C-alpha cells in the first residue's frame, strides 16, 4: 500500500471520528485532490466507507463548497479520468472509479436543482454526460465478492433522478431520460438482482408524482417497454423482458394504494402482464 494512500485512509478515519469536522489550519482542498485520485479504490473500506461518506457530508450536509468550487468539482467528476475512465470495459476494477464518481455528481445536481448555480453550458454538459454514461456503461455488476458494490445502473439512476428534478429539465430532457432507462433495462447483458430496478423506478415515480411529464407520455413509454416481449426468443430478449417486468412491479407498488385503479396503474398492470410469460401461459 502506498504511503499516500495509507495517509489518506488514516486522515479520513480521523475525520470520520471527529464528525467530519476539520482541525484548525486544515482545508477541504487539502484532502479533496487525493480523494478524487482514489475515488475508485478497489478496496471498499477507502472508496465506499471513507471517501464517499466524507464527500456526502462536505458537499451535501455541511455545504462547505462554494458554487464555483462545486462547478469545478462537477467538471472533474465527469471527465475521462473519473466518470468515463475506461468506459465500455467490463469485468475489471475500473468500474469502481466510474460508479463512485457518479454518486457525488448526484449530490451536486441535487444542490443545483434546489438553488440553481450551473450556467446553461454547464447544465447541458452535465445532462449530456449523465445520459452518455447511462448508455455507455457496460459493466452492470451489482455486488462483487472482491471489491464490494459496483452498482453502475443504480448509481447512475440516482444521478438521473436528480437531473429530472432540475428546473432546466424540460419535456425533451425527461423523454431522453426515459429512453436511457429503456436502454438500461434492455441492456443485453445483465438481469438486475441487486435492486437496481427499485433505484430506476424512483426516477419514473418522481416524474409521475411531481408532474414532470404528461401522464400520457409516460403511459405510452410504459406500453412501449413491452415490445421486447415480441422479440425472437434469446437470452437478450429474456434480459429485456425480465428487467422490464421487475421495473414495472417496483413502479406499481411504489405508487401505492392511492394510485390503484387510475389509468396509469392500469397501463402498468397491462404491461406487466404482457411481459410475464407465466401470467400469459407462454412458458
Amino acid at each position: 500500500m502506498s504511503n499516500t494512500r495509507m495517509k489518506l485512509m488514516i486522515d479520513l478515519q480521523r475525520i470520520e471520528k471527529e464528525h467530519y469536522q476539520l482541525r484548525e489550519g486544515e482545508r477541504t482542498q487539502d484532502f479533496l485532490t487525493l480523494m478524487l485520485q482514489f475515488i475508485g479504490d478497489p478496496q471498499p473500506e477507502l472508496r465506499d466507507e471513507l471517501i464517499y461518506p466524507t464527500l456526502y457530508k462536505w458537499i451535501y450536509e455541511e455545504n462547505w463548497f462554494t458554487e464555483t468550487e462545486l462547478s469545478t468539482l462537477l467538471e472533474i467528476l465527469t471527465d475521462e479520468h473519473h466518470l468515463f475512465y475506461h468506459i465500455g470495459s467490463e469485468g475489471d476494477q475500473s468500474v469502481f472509479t466510474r460508479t463512485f464518481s457518479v454518486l457525488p455528481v448526484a449530490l451536486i445536481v441535487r444542490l443545483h436543482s434546489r438553488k440553481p448555480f450551473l450556467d446553461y453550458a454547464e447544465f447541458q454538459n452535465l445532462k449530456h454526460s449523465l445520459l452518455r454514461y447511462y448508455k455507455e456503461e457496460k459493466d452492470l455488476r451489482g455486488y462483487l465478492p472482491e471489491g464490494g458494490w459496483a452498482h453502475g445502473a443504480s448509481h447512475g439512476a440516482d444521478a438521473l433522478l436528480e437531473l429530472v428534478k432540475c428546473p432546466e429539465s424540460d419535456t425533451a430532457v425527461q423523454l431522453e431520460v426515459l429512453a436511457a432507462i429503456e436502454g438500461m433495462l434492455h441492456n443485453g447483458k445483465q438481469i438486475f438482482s441487486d435492486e437496481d430496478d427499485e433505484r430506476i423506478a424512483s426516477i419514473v415515480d418522481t416524474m409521475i408524482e411531481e408532474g414532470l411529464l404528461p401522464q400520457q407520455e409516460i403511459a405510452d413509454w410504459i406500453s412501449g417497454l413491452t415490445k421486447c416481449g415480441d422479440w425472437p426468443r434469446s437470452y437478450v430478449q429474456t434480459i429485456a423482458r425480465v428487467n422490464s417486468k421487475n421495473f414495472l412491479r417496483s413502479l406499481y407498488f411504489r405508487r401505492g394504494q392511492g394510485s390503484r385503479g387510475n389509468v396509469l396503474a392500469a397501463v402498468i398492470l397491462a404491461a406487466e402482464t404482457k411481459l410475464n410469460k407465466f401470467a400469459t401461459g407462454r412458458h
Side-chain angles (χ1 to χ4, degrees), residues 191-223:
I191 291 176
F192 296 123
S193 59
D194 286 309
E195 295 197 299
D196 303 84
D197 35 36
E198 291 288 349
R199 304 268 272 271
I200 295 169
S202 295
I203 306 168
V204 183
D205 184 47
T206 297
M207 287 182 182
I208 298 166
E209 190 66 32
E210 300 189 12
L212 302 177
L213 201 56
Q215 287 215 354
Q216 190 57 51
E217 296 270 17
I218 294 172
D220 291 346
W221 176 78
I222 287 169
S223 298

Side-chain angles (χ1 to χ4, degrees), residues 259-274:
S259 67
R260 303 290 153 76
N262 70 18
V263 173
L264 207 49
V267 170
I268 296 170
L269 276 178
E272 194 277 344
T273 301
K274 184 173 179 187

